[in-house]
Amino acid sequence: MAASDANQPSRFRRALGAVGRAALLPVQGAGYLIRSGRAHQHFFLPVLNGALGDQLAARFDRRAIQMSFRRGGEDVPVADLRLTEPQQKTVVFVHGLMGDELIWQTGFQDVPGSRRFGPRLAEETHCRSLYVRFNSGLHLSENGRELSRLLTELVTTYPDAVGELVLVGHSMGGLIIRSAGHYGSGVGRLKGFSEALHAGMNTGSIADHPILEPEPWLAHLRSVFLLGTPNDGSWLEQNSHLTARLLERINLFPTRFLSKALNQRSNGIKDLRYSILVDEDWQDAHANDLTPPRTPVPPLPGVRYHILIGAWLRSTRPSALREYFGDGLVGQNSARGHATFGNEAALPEGASVRTAVFSQQHHGGLLTHPEVFQYLKQWA
């Protein structure tokens, strides 16, 4: 036998090694899935809340998320934020449906050192980045009122630390911000006061209710960024609602079963159909109609709005298909919010709207795209 032949492994050993490696593949694959699951297990609770959060909250389930500022993966009471830098620009990031604060902070766990908009913006512009987590299965208006309350607590606890306030919302988060502005401005609370007065409740006079004045956080608010926000509603939810109604109309056991199962989606998801931002609309007897009531929620005076839109389909020119599908989840017309932001002449005093479209970007890509970050850095 030649020396070169003696140094090579036998066919049997090579075959045995190949068999061994093949046998280990399922184990290695399972190990990867386990590691990946552990790295992303923080998504389980937000996804559960997005799908069933209203039901969890109704039965006081401990898994129901309570709106809070977040730091280090934990809820942080406002008093424990310990903000000290005086008059620092403060950027509050609000996630979307089934998300959490980590979408603003880190990339995938298997990319060491990857960071997203929040930490980078704080480092490169010397602003203060804060992150909110909320139960995205609740009505948009419920989360809007709670966000307004949380921001009021922030600026009253740290009157000298919070300078200009900037709000950044992705998808549903942008709608929560708009709803918070509605309730913070006093319009929503004034309407509730008027209805209680009309019902004969002993509420006193408006002069007795300073709570009807604008919340103090609005005096700090300068800019709002809406990333992939369905300002005029979601075509996906509109189609889901129509499908459920058609299945119900067919009125056979299988279709009734499917319709009932489809209608188990959370109130937060259902509100996305036409972006219902106020309590009165989802409480209305016609809320389930194909064209339900929808109270306009105009921009806030003195606030600069930035609407950031993704265009997922590859096309060099506008088309109806490109407009409809938008970033894959939110249509471009809805993101532009023609019903809310379309008429510049009707904008309140000092308000402005600026729109930017990012080509070949899907809904989630708006959270990582370098050009989106540069836009945020320039205008925040």
Side-chain angles (χ1 to χ4, degrees):
M1 180 182 294
S4 59
D5 293 336
N7 292 332
Q8 292 182 0
S10 67
R11 290 183 179 178
F12 175 75
R13 288 182 178 177
R14 291 199 302 270
L16 188 61
V19 170
R21 288 191 295 273
L24 286 174
L25 282 176
V27 178
Q28 293 170 343
Y32 173 79
L33 289 176
I34 291 172
R35 291 193 301 273
S36 179
R38 286 174 178 169
H40 297 91
Q41 62 184 346
H42 63 92
F43 281 127
F44 172 76
L45 198 58
V47 169
L48 179 66
N49 275 256
L52 303 170
D54 53 339
Q55 300 174 42
L56 296 176
R59 58 176 184 257
F60 303 100
D61 192 299
R62 61 181 180 81
R63 293 170 295 180
I65 292 174
Q66 305 295 318
M67 183 178 287
S68 175
F69 287 110
R70 299 277 289 179
R71 182 179 288 166
E74 301 288 341
D75 288 353
V76 182
V78 171
D80 291 342
L81 289 172
R82 305 183 191 281
L83 308 184
T84 56
E85 186 73 22
Q87 295 300 305
Q88 187 176 20
K89 178 181 288 186
T90 302
V91 183
V92 178
F93 292 89
V94 187
H95 63 75
L97 176 67
M98 299 186 183
D100 68 5
E101 73 282 0
L102 292 186
I103 67 167
W104 302 111
Q105 296 175 313
T106 62
F108 291 107
Q109 299 297 321
D110 53 359
V111 182
S114 59
R115 297 183 307 156
R116 292 193 177 181
F117 294 171
R120 289 186 61 193
L121 193 69
E123 180 180 311
E124 296 181 24
T125 68
H126 307 292
C127 71
R128 174 191 294 121
S129 290
L130 298 177
Y131 311 92
V132 167
R133 189 177 73 159
F134 65 95
N135 179 347
S136 58
L138 298 178
H139 283 292
L140 300 178
S141 58
E142 293 176 311
N143 278 317
R145 281 188 278 106
E146 184 61 13
L147 178 59
S148 178
R149 184 205 64 77
L150 193 65
L151 293 173
T152 291
E153 186 180 359
L154 178 71
V155 300
T156 54
T157 304
Y158 303 103
D160 298 324
V162 178
E164 290 187 6
L165 183 62
V166 176
L167 302 180
V168 182
H170 177 244
S171 194
M172 178 188 280
L175 298 177
I176 303 302
I177 289 171
R178 289 185 53 209
S179 180
H182 172 76
Y183 287 103
S185 68
V187 175
R189 287 171 288 136
L190 179 59
K191 186 170 184 178
F193 174 87
S194 301
E195 290 175 350
L197 192 65
H198 182 73
M201 298 180 185
N202 183 16
T203 57
S205 67
I206 291 182
D208 298 328
H209 292 267
I211 193 173
L212 298 180
E213 298 176 0
E215 296 285 3
W217 64 269
L218 287 174
H220 294 257
L221 184 63
R222 294 294 177 269
S223 301
V224 169
F225 291 80
L226 306 175
L227 282 63
T229 295
N231 289 297
D232 287 341
S234 164
W235 60 268
L236 277 173
E237 175 53 26
Q238 290 163 10
N239 291 338
S240 296
H241 178 79
L242 180 60
T243 301
R245 291 292 298 273
L246 289 175
L247 289 171
E248 188 178 9
R249 285 290 185 90
I250 295 173
N251 200 27
L252 297 174
F253 173 75
T255 60
R256 288 198 304 270
F257 175 81
L258 289 173
S259 176
K260 186 176 181 180
L262 193 55
N263 280 325
Q264 291 304 306
R265 62 197 188 281
S266 69
N267 289 328
I269 293 176
K270 291 176 181 178
D271 282 352
L272 290 175
R273 180 163 57 112
Y274 288 110
S275 297
I276 301 301
L277 304 183
V278 304
D279 293 338
E280 293 79 16
D281 288 350
W282 58 263
Q283 292 168 349
D284 193 280
H286 298 283
N288 217 29
D289 292 354
L290 291 179
T291 54
R294 183 168 182 254
T295 301
V297 176
L300 296 166
V303 176
R304 300 183 297 267
Y305 287 83
H306 298 266
I307 299 175
L308 279 57
I309 302 171
W312 189 28
L313 296 180
R314 295 188 179 184
S315 175
T316 57
R317 56 186 179 182
S319 67
L321 197 64
R322 192 168 185 252
E323 290 282 329
Y324 181 76
F325 285 106
D327 61 20
L329 292 181
V330 175
Q332 289 191 29
N333 284 331
S334 177
R336 287 191 178 93
H338 289 300
T340 303
F341 303 106
N343 186 357
E344 287 192 20
L347 292 176
E349 183 179 357
S352 64
V353 179
R354 194 174 191 276
T355 302
V357 179
F358 299 87
S359 298
Q360 298 181 29
Q361 286 304 308
H362 58 79
H363 194 63
L366 292 171
L367 293 165
T368 59
H369 190 41
E371 291 182 17
V372 175
F373 174 75
Q374 290 304 320
Y375 183 101
L376 188 63
K377 180 181 175 180
Q378 178 181 355
W379 293 98

